[in-house]
């Protein structure tokens, strides 16, 4: 079973529908015991980092998450859930979970498209991910695949945690983390077949990790 973290600031329903479509058992929950017993956790998010951190900390979910991550529970952060794994977010001047070194920054409005026009903020629409290192999430996904993005802030982790980059004016980190702790800035649950395959790959990793214990 995959647990979809419920912290009143996520995109839980869309993620649940995607997992249901794949036939993957799942549950939307904020129960620490259910999170601990799940094969893996999906940490979705839409909205503002400050509000999301307020929700997490008010219910103690911030410490629950950090504890499970240190115990190597597989976790996939999506969009705001990707940004909150870093140390700090410029949005709302927010101190975040600090499980991956780095910060989340507002897109630089001085960045331009290839034709010289300024980029639009938020970054909204379909774009590619160029992998900088191998990642199980992208097994059997074409390098030409596009994913759906909608965000004004982008992750900037320490270089050794960058897994994939996307071009929007300049290259920015769109996938970061380490094996078993992944974060994607795009929305796989809204990204058609490539996004569904990524979720399926995450579930497969969770089952392999469970069987290896």
């Amino acid at each position: 079973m995959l647990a979809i973290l419920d912290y009143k600031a996520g995109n839980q329903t869309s993620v649940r529908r995607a997992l249901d479509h794949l036939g993957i058992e799942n549950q939307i929950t904020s129960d620490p015991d259910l999170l601990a017993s799940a094969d893996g956790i999906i940490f979705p998010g839409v909205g503002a980092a400050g509000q999301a951190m307020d929700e997490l900390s008010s219910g103690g979910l911030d410490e629950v998450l950090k504890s499970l991550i240190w115990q190597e529970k597989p976790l996939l952060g999506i969009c705001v859930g990707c940004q909150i794994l870093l140390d700090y977010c410029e949005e709302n001047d927010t101190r975040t979970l600090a499980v991956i070194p780095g910060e989340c920054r507002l897109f630089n409005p001085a960045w331009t498209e290839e034709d010289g026009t300024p980029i639009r903020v938020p970054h909204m629409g379909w774009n590619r991910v160029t992998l900088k290192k191998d990642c199980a999430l992208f097994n059997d996904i074409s390098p030409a695949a596009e994913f759906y993005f909608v965000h004004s802030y982008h992750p900037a982790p320490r270089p050794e945690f960058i897994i994939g980059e996307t071009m929007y004016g300049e290259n920015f980190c769109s996938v970061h983390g380490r094996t078993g702790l992944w974060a994607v800035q795009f929305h796989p649950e809204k990204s058609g077949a490539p996004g569904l395959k990524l979720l399926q790959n995450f579930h497969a990793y969770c089952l392999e990790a469970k069987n290896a214990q």
Side-chain angles (χ1 to χ4, degrees), residues 37-110:
S37 64
D39 298 322
I41 298 169
I42 296 181
F43 181 8
V46 294
Q51 177 189 1
M53 278 305 301
D54 286 345
E55 291 288 349
L56 285 172
S57 58
S58 67
L61 283 174
D62 54 344
E63 295 303 322
V64 170
L65 273 181
K66 286 192 280 188
S67 175
L68 291 172
I69 288 169
W70 302 142
Q71 295 171 46
E72 299 192 343
K73 174 73 67 179
L75 185 142
L76 172 63
I78 296 173
C79 198
V80 172
C82 156
Q83 299 172 357
I84 285 176
L85 295 176
L86 300 167
D87 296 309
Y88 171 77
C89 183
E90 290 183 348
E91 187 176 24
N92 311 126
D93 189 27
T94 305
R95 291 291 167 187
T96 43
L97 289 176
V99 294
I100 294 175
E103 60 184 41
C104 188
R105 300 171 182 162
L106 181 66
F107 273 113
N108 186 340

Side-chain angles (χ1 to χ4, degrees), residues 91-167:
E91 187 176 24
N92 311 126
D93 189 27
T94 305
R95 291 291 167 187
T96 43
L97 289 176
V99 294
I100 294 175
E103 60 184 41
C104 188
R105 300 171 182 162
L106 181 66
F107 273 113
N108 186 340
W111 290 1
T112 60
E113 302 280 12
E114 290 183 4
D115 63 3
T117 59
I119 61 170
R120 295 183 179 182
V121 180
H123 172 213
M124 184 181 299
W126 297 82
N127 214 330
R128 295 183 184 180
V129 172
T130 299
L131 293 181
K132 311 306 288 183
K133 59 181 73 172
D134 290 338
C135 178
L137 288 182
F138 290 84
N139 287 347
D140 300 319
I141 295 176
S142 168
E146 293 191 334
F147 300 89
Y148 184 73
F149 291 80
V150 53
H151 59 120
S152 298
Y153 295 78
H154 64 91
R158 260 191 354 216
E160 62 265 35
F161 291 94
I162 296 174
I163 295 173
E165 294 182 335
T166 294
M167 170 62 73

Side-chain angles (χ1 to χ4, degrees), residues 167-189:
M167 170 62 73
Y168 191 61
E170 294 187 13
N171 281 320
F172 71 90
C173 173
S174 53
V175 185
H176 66 81
R178 55 163 173 76
T179 300
L181 173 61
W182 292 293
V184 298
Q185 181 57 67
F186 54 86
H187 286 274
E189 76 281 5

